[in-house]
Amino acid sequence: DDCRARGFAVCICSNNHAPRVRPVAEALGMDYIADAGKPASAAYRRACRLLNAAPECVAAVGDQLLPDVFGAKRNGLRAVLVNPIGGREFVGTYVNRALERPVMRLMGVRRAR
């Protein structure tokens, strides 16, 4: 609500399936993209079209280095890496997190505590 009040268009772009994403998006009154296939370029192009904005005017906010940050950056978007909110995660997410830890160390990237 704060982002929208400040004039930002927002949407959810998720690799999760619609039955999981739709209720959250509807509760927040947001547009959404489910089964996005991030880090594929199509997901980010679709989000930019949905927001009616050029890639350089869009910031992707996510908690994973590969699908969220890498995908956004290689498609010309700004990227913001945030801490995961916790809870049960898909097994592929565990693999991604294990792979991103050494990469983040090499890059000098740390999650906020």
Side-chain angles (χ1 to χ4, degrees):
D1 289 338
D2 188 47
C3 288
R4 287 184 283 215
R6 293 172 187 260
F8 292 98
V10 294
C11 76
I12 296 172
C13 184
S14 176
N15 285 347
N16 271 305
H17 302 297
R20 183 162 179 177
V21 179
R22 182 182 308 113
V24 174
E26 288 176 352
L28 295 172
M30 297 172 66
D31 289 325
Y32 70 94
I33 300 167
D35 298 303
K38 297 180 296 181
S41 295
Y44 294 95
R45 286 194 304 267
R46 187 170 170 205
C48 288
R49 282 193 309 272
L50 188 64
L51 296 169
N52 195 30
E56 60 271 13
C57 297
V58 176
V61 178
D63 67 349
Q64 292 184 66
L65 196 62
L66 179 63
D68 301 322
V69 175
F70 174 73
K73 297 299 282 178
R74 77 182 194 126
N75 286 285
L77 285 70
R78 292 185 180 268
V80 178
L81 182 64
V82 297
N83 291 320
I85 56 175
R88 197 178 68 157
E89 295 184 316
F90 173 66
V91 69
T93 304
Y94 286 112
V95 173
N96 276 346
R97 295 207 193 283
L99 293 172
E100 71 186 16
R101 274 190 291 274
V103 172
M104 289 173 67
R105 268 194 297 274
L106 283 170
M107 295 173 58
V109 174
R110 290 182 304 158
R111 294 188 187 276
R113 297 215 185 269

